[in-house]
Amino acid sequence: AMKRILFIMFFIPSILLAQWGEIPFYKDAKFIKNGKIRAIQHQSFLSDGIGEVVHVEFEAAYLFHKNGSLDKAYTLYLNNTSDSVHYEYSKGKLTKEKHYSNRASILPYYEVIYSYDKKGLLEEKRDHYTKTSTSYYYDKNILTQEVSTVDDSPIVYRIIYSKDGELDKKTTITERGNGKRTEEIELSSRDNQGNLTQELYTNGTEINDAFFYKNYYSENQLDGFSQFKKDMQTVNFTVAYRYNEKNWI
């Protein structure tokens, strides 16, 4: 059976969703803002499970400002189509994403706009491609809820963040406006360095899916990780990091 392998060069994981937006890899990072990272090269490919590459699905590059904030992102696909994103900031906060694409299935240009409250916390995100507005709510500056609505649609998407013992709990509720609603719960845990160790998805009574992560370290340096299915035998993907002589990924 084919194993999906995701290989990343020059990458450090972050949790700054408000700063990075919906950008691959940055939802779980915490070191990248140190400014040492200048670029990331990312390649996604399918392997036959014994080390041979079947085909490359896409290649991407991410360029950063000296302060560590993301400047531009480029993605090249198999058929030589491409996407690019340019990021704009104000007072250190991500305010706009400019998306460009020559893929037939995507708009040639659209924007994602971010706005903040008086405390500097992310207050709203407006995606002009999906026509979705997302509002963010906090308790003592800790994000507790996201509420998303789509133009001309009665559907409301609600994400609630809480704790279940030592686990982080994320409850995703879809309200369809006709009295019907669906709910999915994600329970996750992390190691002392903040890297994922498990994810469990349920509908409240039954497990829909479960993943476990094994993180590999050399002393305090993260060398990579693997994601396993709940049987702990099936490897979904493996991520590896390479460091240069300055200890930059």
Side-chain angles (χ1 to χ4, degrees):
M2 287 187 179
K3 291 192 296 184
R4 177 170 181 75
I5 301 178
L6 187 63
F7 185 80
I8 305 171
M9 296 174 61
F10 308 111
F11 166 64
I12 291 181
S14 156
I15 54 175
L16 303 180
L17 178 59
Q19 179 177 1
W20 301 111
E22 301 293 338
I23 306 167
F25 318 127
Y26 302 100
K27 294 180 181 179
D28 286 327
K30 62 179 180 179
F31 311 110
I32 208 162
K33 67 176 182 177
N34 62 15
K36 291 184 178 181
I37 304 303
R38 295 293 179 265
I40 291 172
Q41 297 173 347
H42 167 213
Q43 185 179 82
S44 179
F45 58 85
L46 285 177
S47 168
D48 61 4
I50 57 175
E52 295 296 326
V53 175
V54 177
H55 72 264
V56 175
E57 295 187 315
F58 67 84
E59 296 182 356
Y62 304 87
L63 307 179
F64 297 83
H65 296 291
K66 289 183 178 180
N67 64 3
S69 61
L70 189 57
D71 181 20
K72 298 179 179 67
Y74 302 92
T75 305
L76 179 65
Y77 299 94
L78 284 174
N79 56 2
N80 289 326
T81 58
S82 62
D83 296 335
S84 67
V85 188
H86 297 206
Y87 300 88
E88 294 184 358
Y89 300 82
S90 176
K91 299 179 180 179
K93 300 289 186 181
L94 177 63
T95 56
K96 182 183 294 186
E97 299 175 10
K98 294 181 176 180
H99 291 252
Y100 304 86
S101 179
N102 61 8
R103 289 191 288 161
S105 59
I106 303 294
L107 289 176
Y109 176 76
Y110 68 92
E111 295 180 347
V112 178
I113 307 296
Y114 297 84
S115 60
Y116 300 82
D117 62 17
K118 293 180 180 179
K119 295 181 179 180
L121 299 171
L122 180 62
E123 187 172 46
E124 185 179 51
K125 182 180 76 173
R126 173 68 180 172
D127 189 323
H128 291 276
Y129 175 61
T130 62
K131 297 182 179 180
T132 300
S133 293
T134 302
S135 298
Y136 299 83
Y137 300 89
Y138 302 83
D139 181 16
K140 297 179 181 179
N141 297 341
I142 297 175
L143 180 64
T144 58
Q145 191 169 173
E146 300 176 22
V147 179
S148 299
T149 58
V150 182
D151 292 355
D152 302 321
S153 172
I155 300 177
V156 177
Y157 303 95
R158 196 179 304 274
I159 299 176
I160 301 171
Y161 298 95
S162 59
K163 299 287 287 189
D164 187 343
E166 296 298 318
L167 298 176
D168 294 319
K169 184 177 181 180
K170 176 182 174 182
T171 304
T172 302
I173 300 171
T174 303
E175 301 168 350
R176 305 195 177 278
N178 55 4
K180 294 183 179 180
R181 56 177 268 167
T182 58
E183 180 176 310
E184 183 177 81
I185 296 172
E186 175 188 345
L187 298 173
S188 62
S189 61
R190 297 175 181 272
D191 62 19
N192 293 334
Q193 285 75 27
N195 300 299
L196 275 173
T197 55
Q198 75 172 50
E199 292 176 298
L200 178 69
Y201 298 87
T202 78
N203 59 12
T205 57
E206 297 180 358
I207 296 177
N208 297 334
D209 223 334
F211 302 99
F212 297 89
Y213 297 85
K214 185 174 181 181
N215 300 305
Y216 306 99
Y217 291 93
S218 296
E219 297 180 350
N220 291 324
Q221 176 178 287
L222 180 66
D223 292 326
F225 65 87
S226 296
Q227 183 198 69
F228 296 85
K229 293 281 284 186
K230 59 185 177 182
D231 60 8
M232 293 301 292
Q233 301 297 319
T234 306
V235 181
N236 277 7
F237 62 77
T238 296
V239 175
Y241 308 108
R242 291 183 180 179
Y243 296 78
N244 65 15
E245 66 279 0
K246 295 183 179 179
N247 204 34
W248 293 357
I249 289 184

